[in-house]
Amino acid sequence: AHMARTPMVQSLHRRWESELRRVQPGPLPAFEVLDQWLRGHMPEPSPVLTLVHGDPKPGNIFFQDEKIVGVFDWEMTSVGDPMTDVGWVAFLWRGGLGGLSSLPGALSLEEFLEVYRLRSGVEAHDLLFYEMLAGFKVAVIHLLAAMLFQNGKSSDLRFAWLGQLIPQLMRDMLARIGACVDVPAGNVIPSWARISAGVRCVITRLIVPETASLAARTQTLAIAAILDSVAGGASPNPVGGDGPSSN
């Protein structure tokens, strides 16, 4: 659809910038460098607006007999600049798309962009900007998850793991834009005490109830106790009066 030249990409950037400000736990120097770079390299508003999925990737597409018969996960959908979806795919493509883009017969990124141009009529442009906007979005989503875990609003260990991915993610993006890669990401990784508490929760609530062997159960609870001790928390007796019974 050819519509008024609305700065949709600026609105998308402001949205994720606002999310960053909402949850940031303190100074985030690497985020600031990337954010300023995005502000300084904003492309011209797109004259063509389309339906934008927001998270296009193989895991959100249902294939049957080598044909696409369904698309899932529309929670970030909007009408906007089609290059935001292209940049998202390009960012994930370089990261391997879970290994899919490195499989025999997989299209190269350049081949994908050419197929997209032929099918959509949209010529890829300002690709580095749109990739870095996608990376900024990914990093903010990781930070949102990490802070949910750190603040005790989630005990999902995957959220703690996402926080641990942020420093390398930021270094990779700073390298792509030619910035200093030694700029710290900031306090983005959940504390050891919270990680220990999360591990204990998984062990006691998920693993131990499913473990039939008394020896395995006591050893697993011992791991939880050791983690508590290292984190500076109180260490329960894993094999004493509060330990698992032999029944």
Side-chain angles (χ1 to χ4, degrees):
H2 292 267
M3 303 175 66
R5 291 168 64 85
T6 306
M8 301 296 290
V9 70
Q10 288 94 330
S11 297
L12 181 63
H13 171 248
R14 285 197 298 269
R15 172 189 171 185
W16 289 101
E17 191 179 50
S18 176
E19 287 295 295
L20 174 67
R21 303 304 174 207
R22 183 173 66 85
V23 301
Q24 70 178 95
L28 301 172
F31 279 87
E32 299 297 344
V33 171
L34 181 58
D35 188 37
Q36 288 302 313
W37 185 91
L38 290 169
R39 285 175 170 271
H41 292 79
M42 200 70 63
E44 288 294 314
S46 174
V48 179
L49 301 183
T50 66
L51 180 66
V52 175
H53 182 273
D55 189 13
K57 61 185 180 184
N60 285 335
I61 299 173
F62 181 41
F63 295 90
Q64 188 174 58
D65 299 326
E66 300 186 357
K67 293 182 180 180
I68 295 176
V69 296
V71 180
F72 309 116
D73 197 2
W74 292 89
E75 62 187 29
M76 292 191 286
T77 303
S78 64
V79 173
D81 185 339
M83 277 300 298
T84 56
D85 266 356
V86 175
W88 181 263
V89 171
F91 180 80
L92 297 179
W93 209 283
R94 295 186 194 279
L97 281 175
L100 290 175
S101 59
S102 62
L103 294 174
L107 296 178
S108 66
L109 177 58
E110 292 71 24
E111 289 170 329
F112 163 78
L113 294 174
E114 177 61 13
V115 171
Y116 179 80
R117 182 188 69 80
L118 293 173
R119 296 290 181 88
S120 69
V122 176
E123 188 84 41
H125 61 88
D126 299 292
L127 190 58
L128 180 60
F129 170 85
Y130 287 101
E131 282 190 64
M132 294 301 98
L133 178 60
F136 182 75
K137 176 178 168 182
V138 169
V140 172
I141 290 172
H142 284 15
L143 183 64
L144 287 168
M147 292 304 101
L148 283 173
F149 185 88
Q150 175 61 31
N151 295 332
K153 295 181 180 179
S154 172
S155 295
D156 192 328
L157 288 173
R158 293 172 297 178
F159 287 7
W161 171 67
L162 290 176
Q164 296 196 26
L165 296 179
I166 294 174
Q168 185 60 54
L169 175 62
M170 298 308 300
R171 283 192 291 270
D172 291 345
M173 288 192 288
L174 293 184
R176 289 289 308 283
I177 65 174
C180 176
V181 299
D182 295 327
V183 176
N187 188 21
V188 297
I189 300 175
S191 67
W192 177 242
R194 276 294 300 133
I195 293 174
S196 173
V199 171
R200 160 167 281 282
C201 182
V202 169
I203 288 175
T204 58
R205 295 184 183 181
L206 298 179
I207 298 177
V208 169
E210 299 297 324
T211 304
S213 165
L214 174 60
R217 292 169 67 183
T218 54
Q219 288 297 308
T220 303
L221 286 172
I223 293 172
I226 291 169
L227 288 172
D228 276 347
S229 178
V230 172
S235 301
N237 182 352
V239 294
D242 293 330
S245 70
S246 57
N247 296 327

